[in-house]
Amino acid sequence: MTHPEYILTISCLDQRGIVHRVSGFLADHGCNIIDSAQFGDAQSKLFFMRVHFASEDTAISDEVLRADFALLGASLNMDWQLHDAAQKPRVLLMVSKIGHCLNDLLFRYKSGLLPVEIPAIVSNHTDFYQLAASYNIPFHHLPLAAGASEEAKLAQEARILEIVEHNQIDLVVLARYMQILSPSMCAALKGRAINIHHSFLPSFKGAKPYYQAHDRGVKLIGATAHFVTSDLDEGPIIEQGVERVDHSMGPETLTAIGRDIESVVLARAVKWFTEHRILLNGHKTVIFN
């Protein structure tokens, strides 16, 4: 008999006995811990925990498990979530005219390496509608002209949020979507939108970062996946990657290498999010690998 599995994530003020009380609760409710990780941050004074467990007592329903844990969570003032481990998160992909990250994520999804559902792709261009069709994924073309008015931008974003709500999206991935989201859009997607920045933040922001890097003669280039916030490219960092380069490589070579890094870094960040391994810690993240 296969027992239902869950992933519990917790953050709260650090104090004695949290692990004991959580593990005791699970044992008392007929649950068997499969793996567990925890971290106490001395700076923020917060405690973080991720527990993967199986519910082995058929007499205890999902509703009872959640209701009872809510009492424990309230007693410790916890920010907690209980996820059904068998449920695949629903992901919306957004892209503009550069498709390497989109293509990589779709391949990982199709091959089973990324356990998600992708009910929609949104783009402000039509370049990848055929790619979406090859995966039988609805493609939504929502154009936004250069220099569009604030009213037009907000109307386009409202349509995106309608797609998010209609498809019950858990995560929005900006897979090289080259539009700045409005503060209201960032607020609506807080904690569930990930961007890939084509540079190793905080250096070389803006246009053509690999050309900037080449002009500076850098020896490492990289990419950064982070949560989207209204502070452009300043959201909590989830994952970063670098590759060593040298003087013989031109900006086109750096760009090609950089795109490979971007694809891998973004895929890691998405996978960690869908496995509920990322917890926010102020302007930083805790990643339970």
Side-chain angles (χ1 to χ4, degrees):
M1 179 179 178
T2 301
H3 300 291
E5 295 183 10
Y6 294 87
I7 296 172
L8 172 67
T9 58
I10 295 167
S11 63
C12 63
L13 188 66
D14 200 359
Q15 54 197 290
R16 287 190 299 271
I18 299 174
V19 174
H20 173 73
R21 292 187 67 177
V22 171
S23 59
F25 172 91
L26 294 175
D28 292 342
H29 285 72
C31 300
N32 180 46
I33 295 176
I34 298 170
D35 61 77
S36 177
Q38 57 272 336
F39 170 69
D41 187 347
Q43 184 176 16
S44 68
K45 309 300 183 185
L46 294 177
F47 177 83
F48 304 87
M49 189 174 185
R50 177 187 185 272
V51 187
H52 177 198
F53 65 90
S55 179
E56 298 180 348
D57 188 343
T58 57
I60 298 179
S61 66
D62 178 275
E63 292 78 11
V64 169
L65 190 65
R66 294 176 185 274
D68 287 358
F69 192 84
L71 298 176
L72 173 60
S75 70
L76 295 174
N77 198 24
M78 287 180 176
D79 181 5
W80 63 276
Q81 291 183 309
L82 184 60
H83 306 275
D84 182 344
Q87 184 174 338
K88 294 182 179 180
R90 297 172 64 80
V91 177
L92 171 67
L93 301 180
M94 297 178 63
V95 66
S96 290
K97 295 177 71 69
I98 301 174
H100 55 283
C101 288
L102 173 67
N103 193 52
D104 180 77
L105 290 171
L106 289 175
F107 173 79
R108 292 173 189 268
Y109 152 73
K110 191 68 173 181
S111 59
L113 298 174
L114 193 59
V116 299
E117 300 291 347
I118 304 178
I121 295 171
V122 166
S123 181
N124 54 328
H125 298 279
T126 58
D127 298 57
F128 300 110
Y129 78 93
Q130 289 182 322
L131 178 63
S134 71
Y135 285 91
N136 295 315
I137 298 174
F139 182 87
H140 300 268
H141 176 221
L142 304 179
L144 192 64
S149 67
E150 185 69 12
E151 183 180 4
K153 180 177 177 63
L154 292 177
Q156 189 245 21
E157 290 186 344
R159 179 69 185 109
I160 295 171
L161 290 176
E162 288 176 4
I163 294 170
V164 168
E165 183 177 359
H166 176 74
N167 290 282
Q168 299 179 303
I169 297 299
D170 299 299
L171 174 66
V172 173
V173 179
L174 308 187
R176 295 302 301 270
Y177 180 69
M178 307 304 288
Q179 292 289 329
I180 298 174
L181 303 186
S182 69
S184 60
M185 181 78 159
C186 292
L189 298 176
K190 183 179 179 181
R192 56 184 183 129
I194 293 175
N195 184 40
I196 184 67
H197 190 276
H198 44 294
S199 183
F200 188 76
L201 290 173
S203 298
F204 302 117
K205 299 180 182 180
K208 295 187 175 180
Y210 298 115
Y211 284 76
Q212 297 178 51
H214 181 256
D215 289 342
R216 289 285 299 275
V218 302
K219 306 307 178 189
L220 289 172
I221 60 172
T224 303
H226 62 88
F227 281 112
V228 175
T229 68
S230 56
D231 295 323
L232 184 62
D233 299 327
E234 297 292 337
I237 291 172
I238 301 169
E239 173 64 335
Q240 295 181 290
V242 294
E243 186 74 29
R244 184 163 293 279
V245 296
D246 62 40
H247 62 277
S248 68
M249 300 176 182
E252 295 82 5
T253 300
L254 298 190
T255 300
I257 295 172
R259 288 181 175 178
D260 286 343
I261 303 171
E262 291 165 26
S263 297
V264 171
V265 167
L266 182 58
R268 284 180 189 154
V270 172
K271 189 170 189 292
W272 293 343
F273 183 96
T274 60
E275 293 175 346
H276 314 292
R277 297 184 181 278
I278 308 169
L279 281 76
L280 284 170
N281 183 16
H283 297 298
K284 301 185 292 184
T285 59
V286 173
I287 312 290
F288 287 125
N289 291 322

